[in-house]
Amino acid sequence: MKKTILALLLSSVSFAAVAAEVNVYSSRHYASDDQLYAAFTQATGIKVNRIEAKDEELVERLKAEGARSPADVLILADAARLQAAQDMGLLAAVDSPTLASKIPAQFREPNNHWFGFSSRARVIAYDPGLVTEAQAKNYATLADASMKGKVCVRSGAHPYNLSLLSAMMVHEGEAKAEAWAKGVVDNLARKPKGGDTDQIRAIAAGDCAIGLTNSYYYLRLQRSEKPEDAKVIDRVKMAFPDMAGHGTHVNISGGGMLANAPHKAEAVKLLEFLATDEAQQYFANGNNEFSVVAGVKLDNPELNAVSNFKADPLNVAAIGAKRNAAAQIMDRAGWK
Ligand code: FE
């Protein structure tokens, strides 16, 4: 009997050694993530199987797969999306002293259902020939009558804009947030379309004077070696708004462990790896996102040069919780 148990134990140990793997569903779409997962496998021997798709597709897939889902870790950009996944019951709480100590409370869900691993600022991109620096340092300028016909933005249904509006709702109340959204719509130079980089390019092309972008899209163009990108950056500047007030809106890209994860131990290891200096450097050096872990040395002069801004200290889960109300305001404002 004892021998059988020992044999069973040995076989399960060797099975684990051979079969250690973790299945990741990720909506991040940045090339530098390949190296990130390769580094995890190198460090731990755990193989990463990754499925990349848009966030809605991943969530639909997880719902369809239910308890039989092979997914262990879900990685999404923006707290609004992670909070939505949690509200659907997809995520399990992860009790990790490592994550609790390394990830600032602002950047994780209070009950540890998900964690932010990189942060990004929602900044203003502008043509300094048409908009002053003082104007660009204020989200209110986008809704100011002086900007009539000069604003380019992506869809109001996109989580990046929903989360910015959610933060305003928390700080200023719903009525003021709605007045702002309506003001932005009144100032549009064209119908909302494209991603953040498209708004920066539209400003460079003279289609508009001011818009919103996540900081890493601007920094990517700034660090690009392509002459056409250098021309864009010559023409377009970036400003961190509201530093005199609540601070610039910051959001996260992050992830959590799925409630039905078949490889729970490996899932926690991967999440903890994402908080190591090595992983933080991939986010920062590879994709120009701010490190959320304190004291990580970054090899990215352009990112370091702008890291010293005053960020809004609002908890990202509190922002994510407002997403449905924010979407209703966007609808009423006509920010399609
Ligand atoms: Fe993005």
Side-chain angles (χ1 to χ4, degrees):
M1 184 66 182
K2 265 188 185 162
K3 244 186 187 171
T4 319
I5 291 172
L6 185 64
L8 267 174
L9 273 174
L10 282 173
S11 69
S12 66
V13 165
S14 59
F15 177 76
V18 172
E21 61 178 358
V22 65
N23 299 323
V24 178
Y25 283 15
S26 172
S27 74
R28 282 175 58 94
H29 47 272
Y30 316 117
S32 55
D33 286 7
D34 292 339
Q35 297 161 294
L36 176 72
Y37 293 113
F40 172 70
T41 301
Q42 181 116 45
T44 61
I46 299 169
K47 189 182 161 208
V48 179
N49 305 309
R50 184 162 40 125
I51 288 178
E52 282 192 353
K54 293 215 154 139
D55 53 301
E56 300 93 341
E57 289 166 34
L58 291 177
V59 168
E60 282 310 309
R61 187 175 174 141
L62 285 164
K63 279 200 288 188
E65 289 170 344
R68 302 178 69 94
S69 175
D72 298 302
V73 170
L74 179 64
I75 305 278
L76 299 173
D78 206 279
R81 288 169 169 158
L82 283 161
Q83 192 61 47
Q86 182 192 342
D87 290 345
M88 282 176 235
L90 292 172
L91 299 172
V94 170
D95 191 12
S96 159
T98 302
L99 292 175
S101 69
K102 283 191 168 183
I103 310 292
Q106 180 191 0
F107 294 135
R108 53 189 160 87
E109 194 275 321
N111 296 309
N112 296 320
H113 285 85
W114 49 267
F115 305 84
F117 292 109
S118 60
S119 79
R120 55 274 295 277
R122 194 111 185 101
V123 299
I124 285 181
Y126 68 105
D127 178 339
L130 301 169
V131 177
T132 67
E133 191 184 356
Q135 286 175 309
K137 283 183 168 172
N138 204 327
Y139 292 118
T141 299
L142 292 163
D144 190 89
S146 64
M147 293 294 136
K148 190 107 189 151
K150 294 182 180 173
V151 176
C152 280
V153 282
R154 78 189 304 164
S155 166
H158 193 277
Y160 297 167
N161 286 334
L162 286 177
S163 285
L164 172 61
L165 189 68
S166 297
M168 287 183 184
M169 290 161 66
V170 174
H171 287 310
E172 320 270 355
E174 296 203 2
K176 277 196 176 168
E178 182 160 347
W180 178 82
K182 285 191 171 133
V184 173
V185 171
D186 284 346
N187 286 341
L188 290 179
R190 57 179 194 181
K191 281 186 179 163
K193 63 173 179 180
D196 286 350
T197 303
D198 297 312
Q199 316 312 320
I200 301 173
R201 292 193 193 283
I203 295 166
D207 295 341
C208 34
I210 188 168
L212 285 164
T213 180
N214 277 356
S215 47
Y216 56 90
Y217 292 115
Y218 184 91
L219 289 163
R220 185 185 294 165
L221 291 171
Q222 195 180 9
R223 295 180 78 207
S224 165
E225 280 162 9
K226 291 181 189 160
E228 65 264 32
D229 292 341
K231 273 189 200 155
V232 168
I233 293 305
D234 260 358
R235 180 89 191 260
V236 183
K237 300 298 162 214
M238 165 169 68
F240 287 74
D242 288 17
M243 296 210 299
H246 295 289
T248 301
H249 168 61
V250 285
N251 213 289
I252 50 99
S253 173
M257 181 173 77
L258 289 150
N260 294 317
H263 308 96
K264 289 200 163 59
E266 289 82 359
V268 174
K269 272 192 188 154
L270 177 59
L271 293 173
E272 290 177 343
F273 175 78
L274 296 179
T276 61
D277 284 21
E278 188 181 5
Q280 291 291 303
Q281 283 159 354
Y282 277 111
F283 291 131
N285 301 342
N287 199 44
N288 305 302
E289 292 171 88
F290 300 108
S291 169
V292 295
V293 176
V296 180
K297 278 226 165 72
L298 308 180
D299 179 25
N300 185 336
E302 288 81 4
L303 182 69
N304 285 335
V306 296
S307 291
N308 219 351
F309 67 99
K310 178 184 162 187
D312 184 347
L314 208 56
N315 176 276
V316 287
I319 295 170
K322 291 266 182 205
R323 69 193 181 284
N324 291 331
Q328 286 173 3
I329 288 180
M330 289 296 199
D331 272 352
R332 287 201 295 271
W335 187 336
K336 302 279 185 224

